[in-house]
Amino acid sequence: MLRWGSQALRRFSTGRVYFKNKLKLALIGQSLFGQEVYSHLRKEGHRVVGVFTVPDKDGKADPLALAAEKDGTPVFKLPKWRIKGKTIKEVAEAYRSVGADLNVLPFCTQFIPMDIIDSPKHGSIIYHPSILPRHRGASAINWTLIMGDKKAGFSVFWADDGLDTGPILLQRSCDVEPNDTVDALYNRFLFPEGIKAMVEAVQLIADGKAPRIPQPEEGATYEGIQKKENAEISWDQSAEVLHNWIRGHDKVPGAWTEINGQMVTFYGSTLLNSSVPPGEPLEIKGAKKPGLVTKNGLVLFGNDGKALMVRNLQFEDGKMIPASQYFSAGETSVVELTAEEVKVAETIKVIWAGILSNVPIIEDSTDFFKSGASSMDVARLVEEIRQKCDGLQLQNEDVYMATKFEDFIQKVVRKLRGEDQEAELVVDYVSKEVNEMMVKMPYQCFINGQFTDADDGKTYDTINPTDGSTICKVSYASLADVDKAVAAAKDAFENGEWGRMNARERGRLMYRLADLLEENQEELATIEALDSGAVYTLALKTHIGMSVQTFRYFAGWCDKIQGSTIPINQARPNRNLTFTKKEPLGVCAIIIPWNYPLMMLAWKSAACLAAGNTLVLKPAQVTPLTALKFAELSVKAGFPKGVINIIPGSGGIAGQRLSEHPDIRKLGFTGSTPIGKQIMKSCAVSNLKKVSLELGGKSPLIIFNDCELEKAVRMGMGAVFFNKGENCIAAGRLFVEESIHDEFVTRVVEEIKKMKIGDPLDRSTDHGPQNHKAHLEKLLQYCETGVKEGATLVYGGRQVQRPGFFMEPTVFTDVEDHMYLAKEESFGPIMVISKFQNGDIDGVLQRANNTEYGLASGVFTRDINKAMYVSEKLEAGTVFINTYNKTDVAAPFGGVKQSGFGKDLGEEALNEYLKTKTVTLEY
């Protein structure tokens, strides 16, 4: 029976501006794709005079019908177009009443008679999801994957009396990625680009420019609709062919095999490029080699010895489970609901009833999909539950895993109770009552989401620099531990949840981690004070505070990383589109120093993770504890196993192995220039890893006589003594103009005498201990060398007589350019002052630049012209004007010359952890 939603034709609107060459269109078809084509055509000014679609199913209208009815467009819901080969009269009359210039068929499952096809002035055009003449017929996307095509695409063609044989109007293509599924191809390319192409095709027809290119018969194929009985897996094939078969049938009709006497359908196939993980064998009928049930899924083997992995399994009764749970699938018992959980179940039943409006009563046995729900309804169900059940966060996969109402409620309850989570992280803490709190410190290697002893059981002592006592024993990572960590990171990147996670979800995890760092900032700052000697108040504000800011900043970048389109010379008579994609590198190694243990971790790892990489991080041997606490918090934030790995130990063993490891694609290092050179060499010899290096510095600070002296004294002291002088951008040499030199030195010494040296946990302390004993001894030797060479020791230069590794803030003057103090970095609280002649701007610039380092620099003057001139001439990655140490998470940071290359912080830091892929297509 003929039905239509609105018999009266809507009058042409005069409220919208319509340009010439617009058509009256009849849209014939259905689906969300049809709805989007309809909406975009109307936006372009074409007039849709009628929509011909399928009848309501189970009381629910098709999306195309809903959109058209909302706009007042005439809608005709037709069960069929013809009877016994002849067009139904009233259907033909209804169609001709709209007076269309062109029929547009975006997606249509009905047979449309040729008299309807040929009726309009311009005939009919059809969208087909393959590059015709290949894959004519139904299930074209499936067959593109099943046959292992390297290119996918679609055709818009002129309808004729053959099956997808009409002349081509336009075509578009894209690469098929190794692990693409039908959904992935459709969502990434066929759906969005298909909509644009349909609109473009209609406009070409309106402008009289639409081609009619005959289809060649060479290369033509025809495949029919795949049915379940034809989707059984034939095992005597390569892993790639098996993978293509499985992904080509995902999710309909589903590739299957027989296991233990019952049909089991496979979903979520990926090629396994890494080593095969350990697992429990599973016999599969027809397979020459048993599968392996592993923690990540079911590993299957081709006849070429290569492997693939499937993520989910579905049994004959419709139940779907993670493949990793095959042997424990029957162990889950029915849980009894509490009164509060009963209320949640009732709320969810109302939501189900609203979606499944065709089902009179939602019963325990009601199946969500068999009752007529679609993938669009899955998104609605998840969102409604989140809104109406106190933010309960489900995933789409949860619905597919439990399609019956009873099973779904059981899954929801287990999620509410936390029973569906992975086993809770086991942490063997070292606990200390300190700073009016109980501090709990992990001390083992963190590999693949678990804290574990070093492979050989070795440990070392980490020392409290305040009194020289041992805080605890820490695992000393071996070569085997490094290899395990890299393997875990590689598996997480290639096969784990992280590699499939969308960018916005990645950002959500990073925001959560930033929140946890902030929630635990007092404990983290206390650990930092214990392990590195940082003054607690400084650790709270800078060491921890900037770490929080860094993770929040880069969390915001996750879904904003993008390439660009590039105009190039066209390959006439064809046209080209060239664009770039920004992609993660893979496994990255990060080696950080001991002066800002957590902040240096954050500066590098936040950008690394935001870009989508996984990482293996080696903290400095003398300050491992905040990095290991960070690992614990990353688990609480929800980071998947293997994404973050922390391996404490020595640079000579763990660090060297990271620089040589063939599976690492990038190494970021902050430390000394000699070690940076060795790392760069190892990275080059091994596998040409990408490298970024932030190395030593001898940052000049020039103070002119027209400066604001009080501010210059205050900022100059901060430039040297901030964080006990253990600061990569510390002013290694001050150049003070002759006329203010003596007064500057006098004021500095007066201020130093006011500084309180003592316990870093004391809130009134200004200056804490040096990081470790060897460093203190090096600083004392540095001062002895300065005195021997003739520099004037104005103040300090000695160890403070108390337990621990304390050194007096020190001032040297009369430092000549040839002296050791003028050339080498101290990395401690030692102010090195040189005098320069009044007005000699170029002379002091030459002296300031006479160094192989170029990390930072500074200038103090009231003359803006002088300041800008000096900033242009200074050879450094950063120049501070009338300030110092003012870094920000949004501003790129890095050096030049032998201070290294590459940037931390800011948008530029992301490029250190991304690769650019250029894609050029011809059409």
Side-chain angles (χ1 to χ4, degrees), residues 812-832:
F812 278 98
T813 60
D814 302 318
V815 177
E816 303 295 334
D817 293 352
H818 67 276
M819 292 181 178
Y820 182 80
L821 269 62
K823 295 179 179 180
E824 297 300 325
E825 179 182 28
S826 71
F827 212 66
I830 301 172
M831 182 177 284
V832 175

Side-chain angles (χ1 to χ4, degrees), residues 756-882:
K756 179 179 178 180
I757 302 173
D759 184 350
L761 291 174
D762 184 336
R763 304 308 192 264
S764 63
T765 294
D766 297 303
H767 190 78
Q770 304 309 134
N771 187 274
H772 50 281
K773 185 177 180 181
H775 182 54
L776 172 63
E777 292 171 349
K778 175 189 167 189
L779 293 174
L780 296 173
Q781 181 62 47
Y782 186 92
C783 292
E784 289 180 15
T785 301
V787 172
K788 287 178 182 178
E789 288 191 334
T792 301
L793 177 62
V794 177
Y795 189 88
R798 298 182 300 272
Q799 181 176 357
V800 178
Q801 296 305 305
R802 56 169 293 165
F805 312 135
F806 293 85
M807 180 177 178
E808 295 175 338
T810 299
V811 178
F812 278 98
T813 60
D814 302 318
V815 177
E816 303 295 334
D817 293 352
H818 67 276
M819 292 181 178
Y820 182 80
L821 269 62
K823 295 179 179 180
E824 297 300 325
E825 179 182 28
S826 71
F827 212 66
I830 301 172
M831 182 177 284
V832 175
I833 302 176
S834 296
K835 188 186 302 183
F836 71 95
Q837 290 181 358
N838 293 332
D840 189 11
I841 298 175
D842 290 326
V844 74
L845 279 170
Q846 185 177 0
R847 295 173 70 190
N849 287 330
N850 186 25
T851 172
E852 278 300 303
Y853 299 110
L855 189 56
S857 60
V859 55
F860 278 83
T861 175
R862 286 191 175 96
D863 186 338
I864 188 62
N865 292 322
K866 184 192 299 182
M868 295 307 296
Y869 176 77
V870 170
S871 71
E872 289 175 6
K873 297 297 183 181
L874 284 169
E875 298 169 359
T878 297
V879 180
F880 298 108
I881 299 177
N882 294 329

Side-chain angles (χ1 to χ4, degrees), residues 241 388 538 908 918:
V241 172
K388 298 177 181 178
L538 176 65
E908 286 193 40
T918 301

